[in-house]
Amino acid sequence: MVNTRPDQLAYQERLLTALRDELRARTIPAVLVITEDGRPGLDVVDSRFRTRRVFVHLAFCWFYWGDQQDERVTCLRLLAAVEHLAEVVANGWNEGEQGEIGVDLSKIANTHRS
């Protein structure tokens, strides 16, 4: 049996490392971290010196830093994602606590059974 979880985490880390390198090239502070639950994330500092953690959602191919629609961007086009994040960082993160995307794909897959 193949364990895909380590492969997924490694892929998330590669995506975040590429994002970090591009952000740093634009002088945006970004540090790769591993959360307590083992997920890779990227701590990014905005123009107001506030930090948000950027994660990767593999099922939807997103970089995301909150649970609102304007707090995500596709990870399929890295340079476009970097440009979008650079703009967000320059304007400052949204006010308030950072939300977490909680999409349970099993509920979506099983909706036809309801």
Side-chain angles (χ1 to χ4, degrees), residues 42-114:
L42 192 64
D43 282 354
V44 181
V45 180
D46 74 0
S47 61
R48 298 179 198 150
F49 302 103
R50 296 177 304 164
T51 301
R52 280 276 174 112
R53 189 160 288 164
V54 177
F55 293 103
V56 175
H57 193 296
L58 289 179
F60 292 111
C61 300
W62 290 333
F63 290 119
Y64 70 95
W65 51 95
D67 59 354
Q68 303 302 307
Q69 285 202 312
D70 65 342
E71 296 177 325
R72 64 184 82 138
V73 65
T74 183
C75 60
L76 296 176
R77 295 178 32 226
L78 180 63
L79 294 181
V82 171
E83 291 300 324
H84 181 78
L85 265 167
E87 184 178 322
V88 169
V89 166
N91 293 330
W93 300 118
N94 288 340
E95 295 295 328
E97 292 294 315
Q98 178 174 356
E100 177 65 40
I101 293 179
V103 178
D104 185 348
L105 294 177
S106 66
K107 288 182 181 178
I108 294 170
N110 293 324
T111 57
H112 70 281
R113 295 183 181 153
S114 300

Side-chain angles (χ1 to χ4, degrees), residues 4-24:
T4 59
R5 179 90 173 132
D7 293 339
Q8 291 171 343
L9 293 174
Y11 183 56
Q12 289 175 345
E13 192 169 330
R14 285 194 306 273
L15 287 170
L16 290 167
T17 298
L19 179 63
R20 179 202 61 199
D21 293 347
E22 290 293 332
L23 290 172
R24 283 183 173 176

